[in-house]
């Protein structure tokens, strides 16, 4: 009996002292510390909306217009006569507009094929710190070739000018410096030169970004064409580039075997090879302008 | 015997109550903002979720703020702030742990405005520096409002400004603190 009383008294003693013990702790902030802090979204997986030529999971923030000037020279194996490609030029002028933080539209015009293109990009899932492991962005584009008809005598359809690209980009920022992206891709052309050519071309893109300093990074992208006539006739697109960031600008300098700068072009129609010196120097210039203020969460 | 135990319990209760009496105030929605003023460009950012705990009996006051909680007018500025300048993923929090140098100047029980000086350790990017700042404490209907303005040198916290934006970002940053604290139970 005595022991029972003793132990219960001890227990009470402990209970009574407990709050005072808690109160005398030194770390004041510890008193109100959040035990389950909010999982923050991972930001800046890539510096800009393009990995090299291909799109990255990144979108411009809501209310931001991002002017893009992209340029590719000719191939290095043109030799001194072509000044190692500098005599030739392909350009795409365009822009991306962040409608919200997770929905963007964009468009441009390429000199090659006099192609106008437009796209919609939606960030479907967002990587979180100690949370969801990847960012997923869906991409759909349409392009219109506006070259004069090769054979005006025959009946030509507007739909023949159209081509499409659908991509699901999945990326993970592994660390401050390293981000990796894979990009399952489907390119559809309404018309192809011969019946043997593929209207639908499937490809798998893989790319990474490795920061070298805070404002300089090395980027690479590779698109593997799945076996088929296109894979037999063309080369896989491979590009290596540097991102240089200065305030509101991002400069991207790259070497690539692809001439075109839209998915419908550089993925199924790359016709020069790295091994044969079919490498082009090129650059993208990105400049952002604030058009309106977007304070929404999405 | 029973009486003895009862009295022990009673004493303990009183002691712990007396200890628990230390009045503390806190908030999780404090305002902390900073300003960089340059001829070319002004930059400001606001954080409305700063935490602060004040111990009225000792004059101890502590602040913590999540770097990612600073909101800028331009989204890209915010991204650059987090990515390049303060490296928020690596150093998510900034803290200040200090004491009111003249705690006797404040009558916590009486409404009024009191001038104080707070000094202590400011930690940003894992670099700690001594900071001393004047401020005012306003007691009104049991609530305490603390306000202060002071300057920080970016170089003290290993925040480097690259040459290209030297004329856009000031090397000294004005900090404004405004927290409204409620009693902690």
């Amino acid at each position: 009996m005595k022991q029972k009383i003793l132990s219960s008294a001890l227990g009470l003693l402990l209970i009574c002292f407990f709050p005072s013990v808690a109160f005398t702790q030194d770390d004041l902030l510890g008193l109100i510390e959040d035990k389950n802090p909010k999982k923050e979204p991972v930001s800046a997986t890539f510096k800009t909306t393009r990995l090299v030529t291909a799109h990255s999971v990144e979108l411009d923030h809501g209310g931001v217009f991002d002017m893009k000037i992209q340029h590719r020279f000719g191939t290095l194996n043109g030799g001194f006569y072509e000044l190692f490609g500098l005599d030739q030029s392909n350009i795409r002028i365009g822009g991306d507009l962040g409608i919200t933080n997770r929905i963007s539209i964009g468009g441009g015009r390429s000199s090659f094929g006099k192609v106008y293109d437009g796209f919609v990009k939606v960030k479907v899932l967002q990587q979180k710190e100690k949370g969801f492991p990847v960012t997923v962005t869906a991409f759909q584009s349409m392009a219109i070739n506006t070259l004069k008809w090769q054979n005006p005598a025959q009946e030509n359809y507007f739909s023949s000018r159209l081509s499409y690209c659908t991509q699901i980009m999945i990326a993970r920022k592994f660390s401050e410096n390293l981000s990796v992206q894979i990009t399952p891709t489907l390119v559809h052309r309404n018309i192809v030169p011969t019946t043997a050519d593929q209207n639908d071309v499937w490809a798998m893109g893989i790319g990474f970004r490795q920061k070298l300093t805070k404002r300089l990074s090395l980027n690479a992208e590779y698109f593997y064409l799945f076996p088929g006539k296109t894979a037999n006739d063309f080369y896989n697109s491979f590009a290596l580039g540097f991102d240089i960031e200065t305030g509101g600008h991002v400069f991207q300098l790259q070497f690539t075997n692809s001439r075109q700068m839209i998915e419908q072009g550089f993925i199924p129609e790359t016709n020069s090879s790295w091994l044969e010196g079919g490498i082009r120097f090129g650059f993208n210039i990105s400049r952002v302008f604030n058009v309106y203020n977007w304070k929404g969460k999405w | 015997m029973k009486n003895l135990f009862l009295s022990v319990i009673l004493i303990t209760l009183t002691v712990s109550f007396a200890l628990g009496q230390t009045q503390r105030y806190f908030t999780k929605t404090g305002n902390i903002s900073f300003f960089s003023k340059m001829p070319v460009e002004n930059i400001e950012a606001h954080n409305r979720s700063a935490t602060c705990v004040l111990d009225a009996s000792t004059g101890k006051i502590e602040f913590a703020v999540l770097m990612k909680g600073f909101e800028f007018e331009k989204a890209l500025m915010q991204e650059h702030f987090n990515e390049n300048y303060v490296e928020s993923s690596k150093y998510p929090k900034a803290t200040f742990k200090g004491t009111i140098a003249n705690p006797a100047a404040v009558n916590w029980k009486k409404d009024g405005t009191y001038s104080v000086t707070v000094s202590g350790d400011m930690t940003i990017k894992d670099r700690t520096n001594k900071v001393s700042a004047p401020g005012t404490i306003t007691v009104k209907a049991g609530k305490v409002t603390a306000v202060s303005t002071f300057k920080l040198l970016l170089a003290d916290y290993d925040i480097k400004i690259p040459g290209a934006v030297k004329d856009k970002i000031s090397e000294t940053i004005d900090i404004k603190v405004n927290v409204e604290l409620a009693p902690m139970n």
Side-chain angles (χ1 to χ4, degrees), chain A residues 1-2 5-10 12-14 16-34 37 40-47 58-59 61-62 64 101 129 173 176 209 211 214-215 245-250 287-288 290 293 295, chain B residues 1-2 5 8-9 12-13 15-17 19-22 24 26-28 51-55 58 60-64 66 68-69 71-76 78-80 82-85 87-90 93 95-97 125 158 160-162 164-165 168 184-185:
Chain A
M1 185 63 182
K2 216 178 186 179
I5 295 170
L6 236 166
S7 58
S8 54
L10 258 173
L12 263 172
L13 251 172
L14 270 176
C16 293
F17 262 119
F18 195 72
S20 60
V21 169
F23 267 123
T24 48
Q25 84 181 65
D26 228 18
D27 176 25
L28 289 178
L29 287 169
L31 296 174
I32 58 164
E33 199 174 17
D34 215 339
E40 291 287 338
V42 167
S43 65
T45 306
F46 298 102
K47 277 200 199 295
E58 251 357 279
L59 268 69
H61 296 278
V64 171
N101 291 339
E129 274 169 27
K173 190 177 187 177
E176 265 314 289
R209 182 281 293 265
K211 267 196 198 177
K214 268 183 210 160
R215 293 175 181 81
E245 183 182 36
T246 64
H249 290 93
V250 178
R287 166 76 211 183
V288 299
N290 274 59
N293 254 323
K295 288 289 167 212
Chain B
M1 196 63 175
K2 234 180 193 171
F5 279 124
V8 166
I9 289 160
T12 349
L13 269 173
V15 168
S16 62
F17 185 69
L19 280 172
Q21 192 66 337
T22 15
R24 290 199 174 88
F26 83 108
T27 184
K28 288 185 176 185
T51 54
C52 173
V53 182
L54 166 70
D55 187 322
T58 59
K60 270 194 178 175
I61 185 162
E62 297 188 357
F63 291 87
L66 283 174
K68 283 205 171 157
E71 288 175 7
F72 291 67
E73 191 198 340
K74 291 181 183 169
L76 195 66
Q78 192 166 325
E79 189 175 305
H80 288 163
N82 286 309
E83 281 285 304
N84 299 339
Y85 293 94
E87 298 169 71
S88 305
S89 298
K90 228 167 164 183
K93 254 185 203 174
T95 59
F96 174 79
K97 295 185 177 192
K125 282 185 86 178
D158 193 37
K160 294 182 192 101
I161 310 168
V165 291
K168 289 184 182 165
M184 190 190 291
N185 298 313

Side-chain angles (χ1 to χ4, degrees), chain A residues 53-81:
Chain A
T53 308
H55 279 266
S56 72
V57 290
E58 251 357 279
L59 268 69
D60 285 296
H61 296 278
V64 171
F65 177 71
D66 184 354
M67 192 174 80
K68 300 270 186 202
I69 296 169
Q70 294 162 282
H71 191 282
R72 303 290 180 270
F73 290 102
T75 55
L76 293 181
N77 61 9
F80 184 71
Y81 179 70

Side-chain angles (χ1 to χ4, degrees), chain A:
Chain A
M1 185 63 182
K2 216 178 186 179
Q3 250 187 341
K4 225 179 188 176
I5 295 170
L6 236 166
S7 58
S8 54
L10 258 173
L12 263 172
L13 251 172
L14 270 176
I15 291 163
C16 293
F17 262 119
F18 195 72
S20 60
V21 169
F23 267 123
T24 48
Q25 84 181 65
D26 228 18
D27 176 25
L28 289 178
L29 287 169
L31 296 174
I32 58 164
E33 199 174 17
D34 215 339
K35 294 288 176 283
N36 296 304
K38 212 175 90 202
K39 283 174 184 161
E40 291 287 338
V42 167
S43 65
T45 306
F46 298 102
K47 277 200 199 295
T48 179
T49 58
R50 303 296 197 283
L51 203 51
V52 180
T53 308
H55 279 266
S56 72
V57 290
E58 251 357 279
L59 268 69
D60 285 296
H61 296 278
V64 171
F65 177 71
D66 184 354
M67 192 174 80
K68 300 270 186 202
I69 296 169
Q70 294 162 282
H71 191 282
R72 303 290 180 270
F73 290 102
T75 55
L76 293 181
N77 61 9
F80 184 71
Y81 179 70
E82 296 277 353
L83 201 61
F84 304 97
L86 297 191
D87 285 353
Q88 291 178 29
S89 116
N90 288 281
I91 192 162
R92 177 182 178 273
I93 297 175
D96 296 14
L97 174 69
I99 304 286
T100 74
N101 291 339
R102 292 175 74 164
I103 302 169
S104 276
I105 57 168
R109 185 193 182 269
S110 304
S111 59
F112 185 90
K114 304 194 189 302
V115 175
Y116 291 84
D117 66 277
F119 63 82
V120 181
K121 221 171 146 178
V122 179
K123 193 185 272 184
V124 187
L125 295 164
Q126 168 72 57
Q127 185 184 349
K128 300 259 172 73
E129 274 169 27
K130 298 184 186 81
F132 196 72
V134 291
T135 297
V136 178
T137 298
F139 171 88
Q140 178 63 53
S141 79
M142 187 177 97
I144 307 165
N145 176 312
T146 64
L147 286 176
K148 286 183 181 143
W149 294 114
Q150 277 182 350
N151 189 354
Q154 75 178 40
E155 196 176 355
N156 290 301
Y157 301 98
F158 176 73
S159 60
S160 308
R161 296 186 175 279
L162 304 180
S163 60
Y164 306 86
C165 175
T166 310
Q167 292 183 317
I168 305 289
M169 300 168 230
I170 304 159
R172 177 169 168 80
K173 190 177 187 177
F174 282 96
S175 71
E176 265 314 289
N177 295 330
L178 178 69
S179 301
V180 176
Q181 175 173 320
I182 57 166
T183 314
T185 302
L186 169 64
V187 171
H188 174 82
R189 285 87 54 95
N190 275 355
I191 203 160
V192 282
T194 70
T195 48
D197 286 306
Q198 295 170 261
N199 288 93
D200 287 338
V201 177
W202 290 89
M204 177 61 83
I206 179 156
F208 72 85
R209 182 281 293 265
Q210 171 68 42
K211 267 196 198 177
L212 303 174
T213 73
K214 268 183 210 160
R215 293 175 181 81
L216 173 71
S217 75
L218 171 70
N219 295 11
E221 72 185 24
Y222 179 74
F223 277 85
Y224 171 77
L225 291 164
F226 285 103
K229 189 168 186 315
T230 306
N232 296 338
D233 295 350
F234 294 92
Y235 293 98
N236 292 331
S237 174
F238 175 58
L240 260 180
F242 293 97
D243 283 5
I244 303 162
E245 183 182 36
T246 64
H249 290 93
V250 178
F251 296 97
Q252 296 183 297
L253 307 177
Q254 65 269 130
F255 291 97
T256 169
N257 58 342
S258 298
R259 170 158 54 176
Q260 299 181 59
M261 287 153 276
I262 58 168
E263 286 65 24
Q264 291 89 328
F266 73 84
I267 295 171
E269 292 175 9
T270 291
N271 54 11
S272 58
S273 150
W274 272 75
L275 297 176
E276 290 155 17
I279 307 163
R280 297 156 190 278
F281 176 61
F283 57 83
N284 303 340
I285 297 170
S286 152
R287 166 76 211 183
V288 299
F289 300 94
N290 274 59
V291 186
Y292 60 87
N293 254 323
W294 173 256
K295 288 289 167 212
K297 256 196 133 69
W298 243 69

